[in-house]
Amino acid sequence: MRTSVKLDQLMEALRCLPGVGPKSAQRMAFQLLQRDRKGGLQLADALSQAMTEIGHCSQCRTFTEEETCHICLNPKRQANGQLCVVESPADIAAVESTGQFSGRYFVLMGHLSPLDGIGPSDIGLDELDYRLKVGDIEEVILATNPTVEGEATAQYIAELCHLHKVNASRIAHGVPVGGELDLVDGTTLSHSLLGRQKI
Amino acid sequence: MRTSVKLDQLMEALRCLPGVGPKSAQRMAFQLLQRDRKGGLQLADALSQAMTEIGHCSQCRTFTEEETCHICLNPKRQANGQLCVVESPADIAAVESTGQFSGRYFVLMGHLSPLDGIGPSDIGLDELDYRLKVGDIEEVILATNPTVEGEATAQYIAELCHLHKVNASRIAHGVPVGGELDLVDGTTLSHSLLGRQKI
Ligand SMILES: [Zn+2]
Ligand SMILES: [Zn+2]
């Protein structure tokens, strides 16, 4: 801006946020300076605490500032022998919102991607292997994304489960509830046909 | 997320940014935690410095952490008798980028809006009145936005200039360069006709 070095620095720093280009960084900086300095200071504080204190749960690898997260420490969830494997912490929120699952989670923080050099140990499969060996898991529910990489990762983990004689299941693919059939893509529809259930 | 209070706080705090809803706040928080903690810490630092140290230039009212901004302190610009009046600090950057102006600025930080209770003193017109009285301004270029409020504000300031016997001019409205005539709205086109110049 030629009038404020600190304003330039703020606009530059805002661009570390995904989806924020020069124009929106400028709009954000002006908005905070003109109307919400308190909000800006709260954000600064929340950011520095989160970046320095949040690590990964020792059990499920999700984001937490605790040694082990509340879900993993919950005795009711420990008594449930189900383990839901997801790609990211956001997926935990999605599964929780269904109210259909009361077991524990395992977060891969990614998926297998040999071309990008991401192998089994990079997505925590050493730890998962150990947990399957310990023996308190009865069923692994594979809730990785319905993408090529997600499917390959689910397949790989299913084999790991079979080695340890632990049941593995894959979440169903099919027509989204409330959707219109003619708007559904062919691959989804063919999964939906193959996975049909008697009524 | 039920697994991290600090992550919840970060997602909540990110929503002070304009255009950021719950979904994009989540994406931003995960992106920083997973891939760019250094960027997150730099943003925290830039935010807290900007929010606490940036104020307004004593002369032109733009954002600056100095008492008076570099543009106002520049002797060459002081020797130029032109003062460009704009609504926001972003407009300074826009005018500077043209390379057509080498005078000083005055930033209203808004426009007259009687319905919202924003009168002359709220947009710094007391200070502008004083600067016109002092006598080093030869021409005021009114570069407020081409909106109803921007026009009314320009009109008001033009009258102030006349009282002090200072020339006032309004930036030209017309067909944007490189645009197609049939895509230009009627009001702009009629301004463009009325403001036609001999070639
Ligand atoms: Zn956990
Ligand atoms: Zn200034």
Side-chain angles (χ1 to χ4, degrees), chain B residues 27 34 45 49 54 80 108 135 145 153 161 167 170 174 186 190 193 199:
Chain B
R27 205 174 69 242
Q34 251 173 298
D45 191 41
Q49 285 193 42
I54 293 177
N80 178 312
L108 303 171
N145 290 332
T153 306
C161 292
N167 291 320
R170 179 85 174 108
S190 86
L193 284 167
I199 55 169

Side-chain angles (χ1 to χ4, degrees), chain B residues 144-166:
Chain B
T144 51
N145 290 332
T147 57
V148 174
E149 296 87 353
E151 293 297 346
T153 306
Q155 203 54 52
Y156 187 97
I157 298 172
E159 283 163 29
L160 205 63
C161 292
H162 299 153
L163 278 179
H164 290 287
K165 306 212 185 333
V166 171

Side-chain angles (χ1 to χ4, degrees), chain B residues 108-128:
Chain B
L108 303 171
M109 303 298 289
H111 47 237
L112 289 177
S113 181
L115 289 178
D116 301 315
I118 299 173
S121 64
D122 300 308
I123 58 170
L125 298 191
D126 297 349
E127 289 153 77
L128 183 61

Side-chain angles (χ1 to χ4, degrees), chain B residues 65-82:
Chain B
E65 61 272 23
E66 315 287 345
E67 169 70 17
T68 305
C69 81
H70 289 188
I71 291 181
C72 291
L73 287 177
N74 183 331
K76 278 190 195 152
R77 287 178 183 263
Q78 287 173 346
N80 178 312
Q82 293 178 319

Side-chain angles (χ1 to χ4, degrees), chain A residues 1-6 16 26 30 34 36-37 44 49 51 53-54 63-65 89-90 96 109, chain B residues 1-6 16 26 30 33-34 36-37 44 49 51 53-54 63-65 89-90 96 109:
Chain A
M1 301 299 293
R2 302 177 70 171
T3 62
S4 169
V5 174
K6 290 189 192 296
C16 73
Q26 182 178 293
F30 286 172
Q34 247 173 305
D36 195 10
R37 295 202 183 213
Q49 284 192 42
M51 296 302 121
E53 295 175 35
I54 293 178
F63 289 129
T64 181
E65 61 273 23
E96 286 293 294
M109 304 296 291
Chain B
M1 301 299 294
R2 302 177 68 171
T3 62
S4 169
V5 174
K6 289 189 191 296
C16 73
Q26 181 177 294
F30 286 173
L33 284 170
Q34 251 173 298
D36 195 11
R37 295 203 182 212
Q49 285 193 42
M51 296 302 121
E53 295 175 34
I54 293 177
F63 288 130
T64 182
E65 61 272 23
E96 285 293 293
M109 303 298 289

